[in-house]
Amino acid sequence: MNRKPISSDLVNTNLDKKELYEFLVRCYESIILLSDLLFPHYKTDGNGRNTPSPPFHYELDSLLRGAISKQTPYNLLAILPRGTGKSTIIGLFFLVWAMLFSNKRFIVMVGESKDSIKEHFQTLVHELKNNPTLKLLGIEVDYSGPVQEMAINVKTPAFDKDLLALGETEKIVKIRAYGIDTLPRGLKIGNSRPDLLLIDDLERQKSGHKSGVESAEYRAEIKKAFYAKITKLGFNAETLQIIMLGTIMHNDQLLVDLLKNAEDPDARPRFKAIRMSMIQDFGLPTAKSIWPEKMTLAQFEQELATAKKNGTESIIYNELLSLPYAPNDTAISPNDFRYFKRAGGMLMKIDGELVDPTEEPIKLSQGSIVVAVDLAFTTKMTADYTAIAVGFTDGRDNLFILDILYGRWTPEEISKQLDSVLVKYKPDAIGVEKNRGGEPMIWILERELANNKNFRGIVRLADKGMKKEDRILNKLLIPYKAGRVFHLHGASYLSEYEDEVRGITKHGIKSKHDDLVDAVSYLTEMSVSFNVYRGEDEDYKPSNNKQFKSPYVF
C-alpha cells in the first residue's frame, strides 16, 4: 500500500477517520511525526513558516518513548538548554502520544507551583477540546471537578496492540496537574495510582518578591518537597515512570543533585540522565549549534561575550551549555585534564582519543602503585562516599589515576573493596585517612599484609591542621596546572570525579561531594613520597628518586 506523506497542513484536508488512523499507525514510532500531524501550528518561525525539528529532538523522542515502553521502562532526567521547547514537548506532544499509544491511564503533570503548571495544563485542554484532528478522532474531555482543580478525564481511541487484541477500542485516561507544593502525598483516585509523572521546570529564578534558586532556603524547600512527595508515589519502574525535564540555573539545585546521583544504583528515584548543550563541542574547532535555526554559533558567541562584560557569564554556562559551573570560577578547568590509555602493563598518554606518538609508553614495572582511602562508614543516600583512589607514579613527577572506587559502604563492604584492590593492583603502599574509623581499618590491613614482602607500608593520612578545602586545592592545583595528573580514558569514575574537580572554585568547593577529590589529593602527596623510577633510562636522574618521610606519615 502506498502511504500518503504526513503533511503539516493535514488538518485542513478532508480525511475520513480510516485514513487518519492509517497516518496514526505511523506515529506510533515517532512523537515528532505525531506533532507534525496534530500540532503544526506549534512548529513555525516568527514569520509563520514551518520549521523542521532539530536532530536532538529526535534523540529526545526516542528516549521518551523508551521510558514508558513495556519491555524496559525507566525514569528519565533530561537537562536541556533554555528555549529548546522542552515544556511543549513534554506537556503536549509527548503527553498526547502517551495518551494515544501507551497503556498509561493516570498521568500527573507537576510544576514548580500551581501557577507555573496552569498555563501548560490549559494549553493541553484547549488542544484536546478544539484541535480539529483530535476532534475527528473522537477525543472527549470531561472535567473531573471544578475547572480550577486542573483535573480531567479523557476518552480516547485505543491504539495499543494489547487492548485491540482484547477487542477494546477506547479507554479513559485521567490527567491531573499540580504544583510540587500542592501535590498530595500518596496520590490515589479510587483504586488508581499514577503510572506516569511528568515534571517540568521544578525550580525557578527569582521573580519579583518571590525568591528562586539563588536562595539556599528555596533550594532546600524544593528538595524537601520533591523527596517527601515523589517518594510517596513509589519507585517501581514497572508501574510508575517519572519523566523530568529542566534547565540548570544553579550548581546546588535539585536538578544537579539528581544528575550527579543518576549513576548511583542506590539512588531513589534512579534516573537515566541526559544533558544537552546548545553548543556541541564547545571550545573546540568542531563546535556547532545543535539548533542553528534557534541560535547560531555566532549568536551564542555574541551572547557569551556580552555576558562576560556584564559579569553574568555563569548564566550562559548554566542555561545554554547545561554546565553547573562557569570556567572562570573554577580553579582547575577541563583544559587542565590530561588522559591516558592502558593496555595490560603499559600506559600510553593520549592526545584526544589517539595515542600521542611523541610520548614513549610507560611500563607499570617502572614506577609505584599507591592507594589512598577517604573513609565514610555509612550507607545513607545523602551521606558522603568512601573513596578508594588507585594511582601510579612513574618516577618523573606524573600521577596516573588508574581507578577510583566509591560508594556508601559498611565497614565490611569497605574491607571487601580494599581486598579487591589489593588483588587487582598489588599496591606498593596504602594510605588510610586517620579518623575515628581509620585505625581499625589500618590494623586489619597491617595484619593482612604482614607477610607481603613487596608491600612498603601503610600511611596514616591526616590534614595536619589544614582545612579540607585548602588541602584539596593546595595538593591538586599545581599538579593539574603543570599537566602532571592523568585520567584513565573511558574510566567509570570520570563523570563523578571530573564533576568534583570542576567544583573546586576560587571561593571554595561547590560540588555536592568532595570525597573523590579528597582521596586523590592524598594520592598526590603519596605519589611524591613513593615517586621512584625503576626504568632503564640511565640518563634520567629525577630529583625525587629517593623516598622521604611524608608529612602525613606518622
Side-chain angles (χ1 to χ4, degrees):
M1 180 181 69
N2 293 324
R3 290 178 172 173
K4 298 178 182 179
I6 296 178
S7 66
S8 60
D9 59 351
L10 185 61
V11 294
N12 297 320
T13 62
N14 295 318
L15 288 176
D16 60 30
K17 189 173 292 189
K18 181 180 178 181
E19 290 175 311
L20 181 57
Y21 275 33
E22 289 180 359
F23 283 115
L24 284 169
V25 169
R26 297 171 62 187
C27 297
Y28 181 79
E29 298 294 337
S30 174
I31 299 168
I32 290 177
L33 279 181
L34 184 69
S35 67
D36 289 341
L37 170 65
L38 299 179
F39 311 113
H41 44 297
Y42 283 87
K43 309 182 80 172
T44 59
D45 61 17
N47 297 316
R49 294 172 298 196
N50 293 331
T51 58
S53 297
F56 77 92
H57 276 188
Y58 287 88
E59 182 180 353
L60 187 59
D61 179 330
S62 178
L63 289 166
L64 287 168
R65 287 184 289 110
I68 59 174
S69 66
K70 295 176 183 177
Q71 292 75 26
T72 54
Y74 49 78
N75 298 321
L76 176 66
L77 174 67
I79 296 178
L80 301 171
R82 60 171 161 85
T84 49
K86 64 181 183 301
S87 296
T88 302
I89 292 171
I90 189 176
L92 184 59
F93 300 169
F94 173 61
L95 195 155
V96 172
W97 185 92
M99 187 181 72
L100 293 174
F101 295 109
S102 78
N103 61 351
K104 299 305 177 185
R105 297 293 182 273
F106 192 168
I107 303 173
V108 178
M109 304 169 68
V110 181
E112 187 268 341
S113 67
K114 184 176 180 180
D115 290 339
S116 70
I117 199 67
K118 184 177 181 180
E119 180 181 351
H120 303 306
F121 180 79
Q122 289 177 337
T123 297
L124 172 69
V125 172
H126 174 79
E127 290 294 339
L128 292 177
K129 295 182 71 173
N130 300 294
N131 186 291
T133 311
L134 288 174
K135 290 175 72 173
L136 182 59
L137 281 173
I139 299 290
E140 296 180 12
V141 180
D142 291 321
Y143 280 96
S144 177
V147 174
Q148 61 269 24
E149 287 188 4
M150 294 192 288
I152 57 174
N153 295 334
V154 182
K155 185 169 76 172
T156 172
F159 291 97
D160 44 301
K161 297 176 182 178
D162 291 345
L163 283 180
L164 292 175
L166 295 172
E168 297 184 45
T169 58
E170 62 182 29
K171 58 187 177 183
I172 302 295
V173 179
K174 302 180 184 69
I175 301 176
R176 304 291 184 266
Y178 301 94
I180 187 66
D181 54 338
T182 59
L183 177 66
R185 298 190 184 193
L187 179 60
K188 185 178 180 182
I189 298 177
N191 294 323
S192 300
R193 292 188 180 276
D195 51 14
L196 179 59
L197 199 62
L198 305 179
I199 305 176
D200 180 33
D201 281 335
L202 204 56
E203 295 150 300
R204 65 162 186 259
Q205 292 180 323
K206 183 177 181 180
S207 176
H209 67 280
K210 294 182 178 179
S211 60
V213 291
E214 78 290 340
S215 164
E217 182 179 356
Y218 171 85
R219 298 194 301 271
E221 288 176 356
I222 291 293
K223 293 177 184 180
K224 181 179 179 181
F226 176 84
Y227 287 110
K229 295 185 176 183
I230 302 303
T231 53
K232 297 297 181 181
L233 299 178
F235 297 128
N236 188 338
E238 296 181 0
T239 58
L240 169 68
Q241 282 80 57
I242 304 172
I243 312 292
M244 186 170 181
L245 274 64
T247 298
I248 291 179
M249 294 177 284
H250 193 280
N251 60 52
D252 185 42
Q253 70 184 100
L254 171 67
L255 203 65
V256 174
D257 286 357
L258 295 175
L259 178 65
K260 292 176 182 177
N261 292 334
E263 298 179 5
D264 185 348
D266 298 323
R268 295 293 185 275
R270 187 182 183 189
F271 287 95
K272 179 174 184 176
I274 61 165
R275 176 167 55 182
M276 297 182 178
S277 167
M278 181 62 82
I279 305 301
Q280 182 178 314
D281 295 338
F282 173 70
L284 300 176
T286 54
K288 64 179 181 179
S289 171
I290 63 172
W291 198 355
E293 292 82 5
K294 182 70 67 172
M295 175 178 281
T296 65
L297 178 60
Q299 288 172 327
F300 170 82
E301 291 174 341
Q302 179 60 49
E303 189 164 340
L304 178 59
T306 302
K308 287 181 177 179
K309 292 179 181 178
N310 298 333
T312 56
E313 184 182 3
S314 61
I315 295 177
I316 303 300
Y317 281 87
N318 289 169
E319 299 183 9
L320 291 180
L321 296 179
S322 298
L323 295 172
Y325 311 101
N328 66 338
D329 192 40
T330 59
I332 302 170
S333 77
N335 292 331
D336 300 319
F337 297 166
R338 301 290 183 270
Y339 296 91
F340 72 98
K341 288 185 177 181
R342 179 178 178 182
M346 304 289 286
L347 307 183
M348 295 154 288
K349 298 177 184 178
I350 61 175
D351 183 6
E353 294 194 9
L354 302 176
V355 174
D356 189 342
T358 65
E359 296 281 355
E360 289 289 330
I362 303 161
K363 297 179 182 179
L364 286 175
S365 59
Q366 292 178 343
S368 302
I369 294 178
V370 291
V371 174
V373 185
D374 178 40
L375 292 168
F377 295 103
T378 181
T379 58
K380 287 186 178 181
M381 283 172 28
T382 56
D384 291 342
Y385 294 119
T386 286
I388 303 173
V390 184
F392 170 78
T393 176
D394 64 353
R396 303 187 178 195
D397 302 317
N398 294 313
L399 172 64
F400 297 81
I401 304 176
L402 299 175
D403 202 356
I404 305 177
L405 288 74
Y406 62 97
R408 299 180 178 97
W409 301 318
T410 63
E412 293 76 15
E413 291 169 332
I414 294 172
S415 182
K416 289 180 180 178
Q417 293 290 341
L418 282 170
D419 285 342
S420 69
V421 168
L422 292 174
V423 171
K424 183 176 181 178
Y425 293 103
K426 299 178 176 59
D428 297 275
I430 296 178
V432 180
E433 188 176 29
K434 184 183 178 183
N435 59 19
R436 185 173 58 185
E439 284 301 325
M441 187 61 62
I442 290 172
W443 179 80
I444 293 172
L445 288 170
E446 285 177 336
R447 185 180 61 180
E448 292 181 357
L449 297 168
N451 297 321
N452 190 328
K453 296 180 180 179
N454 296 321
F455 187 70
R456 284 188 267 164
I458 295 176
V459 180
R460 288 171 170 82
L461 305 172
D463 287 329
K464 293 292 288 182
M466 296 178 68
K467 290 182 179 179
K468 179 194 278 191
E469 290 185 345
D470 294 337
R471 173 174 49 77
I472 291 174
L473 181 60
N474 290 339
K475 295 302 177 185
L476 293 184
L477 184 60
I478 294 177
Y480 269 101
K481 291 299 182 183
R484 297 294 189 181
V485 181
F486 293 83
H487 303 175
L488 177 59
H489 179 73
S492 59
Y493 67 75
L494 283 182
S495 177
E496 173 66 26
Y497 176 68
E498 291 185 349
D499 192 68
E500 288 189 16
V501 174
R502 284 190 291 265
I504 303 173
T505 74
K506 301 168 186 176
H507 311 291
I509 297 178
K510 304 297 184 182
S511 56
K512 181 180 179 182
H513 296 290
D514 59 16
D515 311 292
L516 277 65
V517 291
D518 196 11
V520 173
S521 72
Y522 282 130
L523 201 63
T524 59
E525 175 61 33
M526 291 183 66
S527 71
V528 173
S529 300
F530 295 91
N531 190 28
V532 180
Y533 178 70
R534 301 192 184 96
E536 301 172 355
D537 185 355
E538 296 181 358
D539 295 330
Y540 177 69
K541 297 179 179 179
S543 59
N544 295 325
N545 200 22
K546 62 179 182 179
Q547 294 185 46
F548 60 91
K549 188 175 179 63
S550 164
Y552 292 146
V553 179
F554 292 84

